[in-house]
Amino acid sequence: MKDPVVRRLWALGSISFFSDFIFGATYIFVMQEGGVSAELIGVYVAGTVVVSRLVEAPSGAWGDRYGQRGLIVLGLALWGAGLLLFGLTPHRLFYVPALLLWSSGAALYSGAPISLVVNALKTSGNADAVPRALRGAQVARWLASAAGAATVALAAVRVPPAHLVLVAGCLLVASAVWVALTWPRSSSNRQLGVTRNLLEGTRTMVTGARLGILWLTALYSAAISVLIMSWQPVVSGFPEFGGSEASALGLTLLLFSLAAALGAWLGRRPKALRAEYAVLASVICLLGLLLLVGGTIPCTAVGYLGAEVLVGAGGTLLAVHSHSVIPDELRNTVTSLLSTVAGLSMATADLIFGYLWAAVGPVRALHHCAWGLLALTVLLTLWTLTQRGRGDGTTASSPLHQAKA
């Protein structure tokens, strides 16, 4: 990809996901070492989820009104400041503002770089480059996650985890300066207020093909959530695999990230298959592979690694399909609203999986969730086909309808 703005997107995505992974892999341990109880850690993490959703929902409307570049810079600066405060905190009470800065900054940043780049490509008459740019961004994301996993596994033996968080924070703050100085200015629409943008974005989300994107985003996110929630307790249950040793879990996470990167690289829609059906097929296959987990190590490995490949492929297909039908002037708004839906879907799936895990164990909980999501997917698909079969003009409102870009 020769376009410099695309290369900047890939580089920024790599830095942000690398930094985020280092923090995500160590922050619980750092707080425990800092004397924070398990109960308080739960309260802190739950609070950050609420804050991030509250910031995420309107953040895209701010980007569309005032420009995505400023939103990216502000998000990276707050995110990096949160990690720096977290790594340097002299007292456990400082973890709260550090986590709030982290969650708010990440929420502001989310979706803004891709919105800026996609709009820039379309404005310059290079719209055909959008799918490849989005695939490359997904590949960079997962390769950066793999690099983060390898870094934590290798460096945590000699470097205190808090110091790794400081490095991640420095990378994010430096990235904010880089974006402010070198990235192109983004388009803005100051004619509409933030509230109007939000209302228009919400209306856009529930119209035609975009309603299908909404449902597919929720299903895809829920499937990822139960995978994330289940893999550590499932893998730890195999004595042959090393139990709950950090090295074994770290190696597993590295393989998962590489599998997702492979899936993102392979995530091209077959020409004979409509975009929404390609995404739907990836979600169904992902859930089917999760049903292989448990019983034996080979079945579990095939189930999880195959599912991770489809996580990468499905995410790429969903991103390309979404950005092909989202209006340019509301791109950041709709992207942030979809991220909010994804977060709520994941939170719901986490809650259900947690109760099932306590009742029947992690493997059966995973299977119950996968079957439930498969049933929901089948019902949605049958309803869509029924609506289309009527030919009564209701197709445009069906959740899987393909709208014209």
Side-chain angles (χ1 to χ4, degrees):
M1 181 65 68
K2 297 181 179 180
D3 197 307
V5 73
V6 174
R7 291 198 296 268
R8 289 190 184 108
L9 173 66
W10 294 350
L12 182 61
S14 298
I15 294 170
S16 62
F17 278 104
F18 177 80
S19 302
D20 189 49
F21 190 93
I22 287 179
F23 179 69
T26 56
Y27 77 108
I28 298 294
F29 178 81
V30 171
M31 284 193 288
Q32 287 179 321
E33 289 291 300
V36 182
S37 66
E39 292 82 3
L40 277 180
I41 290 176
V43 173
Y44 291 173
V45 173
T48 61
V49 172
V50 173
V51 170
S52 66
R53 293 309 100 190
L54 290 175
V55 174
E56 177 81 49
S59 67
W62 298 333
D64 284 327
R65 176 169 172 77
Y66 300 110
Q68 288 89 29
R69 190 178 71 171
L71 196 65
I72 296 169
V73 173
L74 178 60
L76 288 170
L78 292 177
W79 188 357
L83 267 58
L84 290 174
L85 178 60
F86 191 92
L88 292 170
T89 181
H91 192 276
R92 60 188 180 186
L93 290 179
F94 285 85
Y95 289 132
V96 175
L99 289 171
L100 291 177
L101 285 171
W102 157 66
S103 58
S104 299
L108 291 172
Y109 169 88
S110 175
I114 288 180
S115 296
L116 186 156
V117 171
V118 170
N119 281 354
L121 290 173
K122 296 181 74 174
T123 301
S124 64
N126 201 16
D128 291 340
V130 170
R132 188 179 175 190
L134 294 177
R135 282 196 299 271
Q138 290 288 325
V139 172
R141 164 189 179 176
W142 293 111
L143 288 178
S145 297
T151 300
V152 172
L154 295 174
V157 178
R158 297 186 177 182
V159 180
H163 292 179
L164 294 177
V165 173
L166 286 176
V167 172
C170 290
L171 286 173
L172 292 172
V173 172
S175 297
V177 176
W178 172 54
V179 172
L181 295 178
T182 67
W183 278 50
R185 291 186 178 275
S186 52
S187 59
S188 60
N189 183 10
R190 295 178 181 267
Q191 295 179 351
L192 294 179
V194 172
T195 302
R196 181 69 180 275
N197 272 356
L198 278 172
L199 292 174
E200 284 296 312
T202 303
R203 185 190 63 79
T204 299
M205 272 176 45
V206 297
T207 303
R210 299 167 194 120
L211 180 58
I213 293 170
L214 186 70
W215 279 101
L216 290 169
T217 297
L219 291 170
Y220 171 77
S221 302
I224 292 178
S225 186
V226 296
L227 188 160
I228 293 172
M229 285 285 289
S230 69
W231 78 266
Q232 289 196 35
V234 170
V235 169
S236 299
F238 288 104
E240 303 89 345
F241 196 76
S244 59
E245 291 182 6
S247 58
L249 297 178
L251 175 61
T252 302
L253 193 56
L254 176 61
L255 292 175
F256 282 3
S257 298
L258 292 175
L262 174 63
W265 180 67
L266 295 172
R268 293 170 174 82
R269 176 175 63 88
K271 292 182 179 180
L273 194 62
R274 294 168 65 148
E276 73 272 30
Y277 290 145
V279 179
L280 184 63
S282 68
V283 172
I284 291 174
C285 292
L286 192 165
L287 293 169
L289 283 166
L290 290 179
L291 294 174
L292 296 178
V293 170
T296 65
I297 290 180
C299 285
T300 299
V302 170
Y304 273 137
L305 290 174
E308 284 287 352
V309 170
L310 286 166
V311 165
T316 300
L317 291 167
L318 185 57
V320 172
H321 178 40
S322 300
H323 284 283
S324 70
V325 297
I326 295 174
D328 292 348
E329 66 275 9
L330 292 172
R331 188 171 304 282
N332 207 169
T333 300
V334 175
T335 300
S336 291
L337 290 173
L338 286 173
S339 296
T340 302
V341 169
L344 295 174
S345 177
M346 295 182 78
T348 302
D350 289 345
L351 182 64
I352 294 172
F353 179 86
Y355 278 108
L356 289 173
W357 179 7
V360 298
V363 173
R364 291 182 64 187
L366 174 62
H367 291 174
H368 289 337
C369 288
W371 278 119
L373 288 170
L374 279 171
L376 182 60
T377 303
V378 169
L379 289 174
L380 174 62
T381 304
L382 290 175
W383 181 84
T384 302
L385 294 175
T386 301
Q387 293 292 83
R388 286 182 174 173
R390 290 178 181 176
D392 58 358
T394 59
T395 305
S397 63
S398 65
L400 293 178
H401 176 65
Q402 172 69 42
K404 295 180 181 179

